[in-house]
Amino acid sequence: MNLGIKEYKIVYYIIIILQIVKLKMLIPLIKNKFKLPKLPSNYTSREGILKKLEEGFSEEKKLTLVVGNAGYGKSSLVVDYIQQTKVPYLWYSLNENDSDLIVFINHLSKGLKLSIPNLREDALELLISTINPIEALHNIIGLLIEDLSIHITDKFIIVLDDYQFLRNSEAINKALEYLIEYLPENFQLIIISRYTPNIKKLPQLKVRQQVIEVPLLDLKFSVNEIQTIIPNELRNALNEEELTKLYTQTDGWIGIIILLIQAYKSNLTIKEHLLNALNLNQPVFDYLTSEIFELQDKEIKSFMLNTSLLPKINKEICNEVMMQNVSEKLDFLKNSNLLEIDNEDEYKYNPVFRDFLREKAKETLSLIELQSLYFKIGNYLQKKEDIENALEYFLLGPNYAEAEDLLLDIAQELIDSNRLETLNKFIFRFPEEYLEKSSNLQIYLGEIYRLWGNYSEALEHYYKAEDVAIRENNFSTLGKAYVYESIIHASKGESSSKELIDEAIKILPDDDSYNLAFAYNKKGISYLFGDQIFESLNYFEKSLKYYE
């Protein structure tokens, strides 16, 4: 087909608009996700399990699974393995935000590129450009693995830590299946999780003996291992029967053992209470956590409860959100062995003790105190441009008005970057009665369903948005609803499509550049498909001006 000047110009404008949109689709890289955690200062290497992990490089092995509850030393075990083998690696620490397929593949690809600078970005380009990433998943993973095969010929380890956050994502579990199936033999894929991953082919892999498993039973410390890490003073205070009771009570749970050591170092009288607890067969976990907490004065108790709810603990965030004498209190907790140094100027609680403190905070603090704290944390994170975590804290408050404002700031960006799962997750964190009254949230719900191909559900939400927008005289949202409705009607060949776009352009405020650009673009496309070339070019030019 020979294109004339006008046709070429139309194609040119479409390409420019697509490039502008594509730039908005880039997802920021959070480099802290790829930082190898530090081993505890008193860590004892577990040679037997390390040898088991080494078998993951065997030719027939496809996957290494390390599964167990919090505080059983899963991550420390794998960190020790990586440091001892000295094999190049990617460590990817996961959280709830990674449960979106787009975020997961983006971080996986870019994380690998940090370790392998020559790695191409074909997989990422396909991920960004495809309308439905799930349908293109096989090709996306295929491109990634093909590139890995070219650039990595020696051993390489990929670690996915805290996979329990992704366990219920069907899309990511499917991506993982492809990764397991096609990953070259010189790669070892290690998954660390509190629960067994929901990978459909996992039973088959186990039957074929293609999985190295480090289950909870292996992670539990033996009596001999416990003896090696307990301080001499405490070990000498316990006879063999009491040590056996300690092992039985803790069930080899290293998180509790470390908490016991920290408690003993901070207060020597705990030894006597511990012996009483053992003799009375009281649960050591319940005793230790409550006893350590109750031994502190009122100010330190309050400080511990508040800091346990922070996303990270450092002087800056503590000073910003709540507290006085921060340095003094942090030093006290550090010197009492109740806070560990995490990264540089950051601290962390023992994970078992942190979980206890968080539950205690929710029981102890009033709803007003919790709401105020979450609000301050959200504000701090917003200032730091950590928008999605700020949104999480506003929703925890709950501070719904602030959460909605923040979500509306990033909603279009999430759509442009195809992160529909993330947007959907955030919207449904609002209560139903709040959603019913929010025209903007209804619009974005409609967009999610439209892009998922569920047009009837999308229209239902657009109509709800219309009703609320009309009552509120919100012409920006009303015009937006008309534009999105017109797309669905156009796909069905209905003439009402052009009328809706004309009405949208008529009522959209002059300063609503994005939606006016979008409306003129859709109008241009409708004329283009009607072979009205000159008219379509006119509307594309108007659209481009607003996009710019």
Side-chain angles (χ1 to χ4, degrees):
M1 181 177 73
N2 293 322
L3 294 178
I5 294 174
K6 289 178 182 177
E7 288 88 346
Y8 274 116
K9 202 171 181 183
I10 287 168
V11 173
Y12 170 76
Y13 281 128
I14 291 173
I15 290 171
I16 289 177
I17 289 169
L18 287 173
Q19 286 175 334
I20 293 168
V21 172
K22 184 178 177 181
L23 286 173
K24 295 183 70 178
M25 295 168 71
L26 298 176
I27 303 166
L29 185 68
I30 304 171
K31 290 187 178 179
N32 276 346
K33 286 183 169 292
F34 310 120
K35 187 178 287 187
L36 190 70
K38 289 183 179 180
L39 283 175
S41 55
N42 60 342
Y43 186 76
T44 300
S45 194
R46 310 185 71 188
E47 298 301 328
I49 307 181
L50 292 181
K51 287 179 182 176
K52 190 173 187 179
L53 288 175
E54 287 175 12
E55 295 173 18
F57 274 117
S58 302
E59 186 177 332
E60 70 278 6
K61 302 303 180 186
K62 292 278 191 180
L63 175 64
T64 302
L65 276 181
V66 183
V67 178
N69 298 333
Y72 272 93
K74 303 182 297 295
S75 299
S76 295
L77 175 69
V78 179
V79 169
D80 188 28
Y81 170 64
I82 285 174
Q83 291 181 346
Q84 293 207 30
T85 58
K86 295 181 170 58
V87 171
Y89 65 91
L90 165 68
W91 184 283
Y92 181 4
S93 296
L94 305 162
N95 60 28
E96 295 93 337
N97 294 334
D98 297 286
S99 61
D100 188 309
L101 177 66
I102 305 294
V103 177
F104 176 73
I105 299 292
N106 176 72
H107 274 97
L108 181 63
S109 302
K110 290 182 178 176
L112 286 165
K113 192 168 176 63
L114 289 175
S115 300
I116 315 161
N118 293 332
L119 204 65
R120 288 160 47 180
E121 296 190 348
D122 294 353
L124 201 53
E125 287 295 322
L126 179 57
L127 175 75
I128 288 171
S129 62
T130 186
I131 295 173
N132 190 336
I134 296 174
E135 289 183 359
L137 197 50
H138 187 275
N139 291 335
I140 291 168
I141 299 298
L143 284 171
L144 178 62
I145 288 175
E146 182 183 353
D147 209 15
L148 289 173
S149 303
I150 294 169
H151 291 95
I152 295 288
T153 54
D154 295 325
K155 288 182 176 180
F156 193 94
I157 298 171
I158 298 175
V159 180
L160 303 178
D161 190 19
D162 281 331
Y163 192 81
Q164 67 272 4
F165 290 115
L166 278 57
R167 186 171 181 260
N168 295 321
S169 171
E170 289 185 22
I172 292 176
N173 284 325
K174 191 66 180 174
L176 205 59
E177 283 186 18
Y178 292 140
L179 198 62
I180 293 167
E181 186 172 355
Y182 299 120
L183 205 60
E185 291 172 359
N186 55 307
F187 279 75
Q188 182 180 17
L189 176 61
I190 302 177
I191 295 178
I192 305 171
S193 179
R194 294 187 185 183
Y195 317 108
T196 302
N198 286 332
I199 302 169
K200 288 182 181 178
K201 292 186 178 179
L202 187 57
Q204 294 172 257
L205 292 169
K206 288 183 178 182
V207 168
R208 295 173 188 159
Q209 298 186 326
Q210 293 178 311
V211 182
I212 294 292
E213 290 187 86
V214 180
L216 183 60
L217 189 62
D218 287 353
L219 293 169
K220 292 179 180 180
F221 273 57
S222 67
V223 176
N224 290 337
E225 286 176 315
I226 289 173
Q227 283 182 319
T228 62
I229 61 173
I230 289 180
N232 288 333
E233 301 92 335
L234 182 56
R235 187 165 62 247
N236 293 336
L238 301 174
N239 59 38
E240 193 145 335
E241 182 184 352
E242 288 164 342
L243 273 172
T244 303
K245 277 187 178 180
L246 178 62
Y247 174 77
T248 304
Q249 288 273 12
T250 59
D251 198 21
W253 190 356
I254 188 58
I256 291 295
I257 302 298
I258 291 172
L259 190 59
L260 164 63
I261 294 168
Q262 290 172 332
Y264 175 73
K265 286 180 178 178
S266 67
N267 191 309
L268 296 177
T269 62
I270 281 186
K271 174 177 64 180
E272 299 170 15
H273 297 295
L274 173 64
L275 292 174
N276 289 333
L278 289 172
N279 291 329
L280 294 171
N281 290 319
Q282 293 177 357
V284 173
F285 168 72
D286 294 343
Y287 161 74
L288 270 178
T289 48
S290 58
E291 186 71 17
I292 292 168
F293 181 72
E294 292 302 331
L295 280 169
Q296 314 308 320
D297 66 34
K298 186 177 179 181
E299 277 194 28
I300 291 295
K301 282 181 184 177
S302 176
F303 186 81
M304 292 167 76
L305 294 178
N306 283 285
T307 50
S308 73
L309 298 172
L310 297 175
K312 56 187 175 183
I313 302 173
N314 59 40
K315 290 179 183 178
E316 182 184 2
I317 189 171
C318 289
N319 280 320
E320 181 78 21
V321 304
M322 55 187 162
M323 307 161 190
Q324 297 178 336
N325 304 321
V326 166
S327 297
E328 182 184 319
K329 289 170 184 171
L330 287 174
D331 287 341
F332 172 80
L333 290 173
K334 185 178 69 173
N335 294 332
S336 300
N337 294 290
L338 297 177
L339 269 183
E340 307 167 14
I341 294 175
D342 192 8
N343 289 313
E344 298 174 2
D345 297 326
E346 292 186 359
Y347 304 90
K348 65 179 181 180
Y349 290 108
N350 173 294
V352 178
F353 191 47
R354 180 203 60 207
D355 291 347
F356 162 80
L357 288 174
R358 285 181 173 176
E359 289 304 313
K360 189 78 173 175
K362 291 169 187 175
E363 293 171 8
T364 307
L365 300 178
S366 69
L367 288 176
I368 293 174
E369 287 173 320
L370 279 172
Q371 187 173 33
S372 173
L373 179 59
Y374 287 141
F375 180 76
K376 289 175 183 176
I377 296 171
N379 272 337
Y380 169 81
L381 293 171
Q382 187 176 0
K383 287 178 190 174
K384 290 290 182 180
E385 297 184 355
D386 188 355
I387 303 302
E388 291 182 35
N389 280 323
L391 185 53
E392 287 283 354
Y393 275 93
F394 284 139
L395 287 167
L396 279 172
N399 297 287
Y400 292 128
E402 290 79 9
E404 181 179 9
D405 288 343
L406 203 54
L407 183 55
L408 295 180
D409 285 343
I410 64 169
Q412 193 58 52
E413 183 182 323
L414 292 173
I415 288 173
D416 290 342
S417 59
N418 226 350
R419 295 179 58 197
L420 303 180
E421 290 179 46
T422 295
L423 180 57
N424 193 56
K425 177 192 76 173
F426 279 133
I427 290 176
F428 278 103
R429 292 278 299 279
F430 291 86
E432 188 175 347
E433 59 271 18
Y434 191 98
L435 284 178
E436 291 295 322
K437 296 175 182 176
S438 171
S439 57
N440 284 308
L441 293 179
Q442 289 295 338
I443 279 284
Y444 285 117
L445 271 176
E447 270 299 83
I448 290 167
Y449 285 109
R450 180 180 72 82
L451 293 168
W452 279 343
N454 189 338
Y455 289 168
S456 59
E457 188 77 24
L459 285 171
E460 186 178 321
H461 288 292
Y462 294 149
Y463 296 152
K464 284 183 180 179
E466 272 186 47
D467 291 342
V468 178
I470 289 169
R471 289 199 300 271
E472 296 174 344
N473 290 322
N474 185 341
F475 296 110
S476 182
T477 302
L478 185 59
K480 202 186 300 186
Y482 288 155
V483 175
Y484 292 138
E485 286 172 36
S486 76
I487 297 171
I488 293 177
H489 291 303
S491 70
K492 298 177 180 179
E494 296 171 359
S495 59
S496 59
S497 172
K498 287 184 181 179
E499 295 169 11
L500 283 166
I501 291 181
D502 287 339
E503 185 62 24
I505 291 170
K506 179 180 173 183
I507 65 173
L508 280 168
D510 291 337
D511 60 354
D512 193 352
S513 300
Y514 187 89
N515 287 311
L516 281 167
F518 191 54
Y520 279 117
N521 179 258
K522 294 305 171 190
K523 189 168 176 108
I525 289 173
S526 68
Y527 277 92
L528 179 64
F529 284 107
D531 291 329
Q532 294 172 279
I533 305 297
F534 181 80
E535 289 86 351
S536 67
L537 180 58
N538 178 45
Y539 290 119
F540 283 136
E541 285 177 337
K542 286 185 179 181
S543 175
L544 184 59
K545 285 178 183 177
Y546 281 109
Y547 270 119
E548 289 171 341

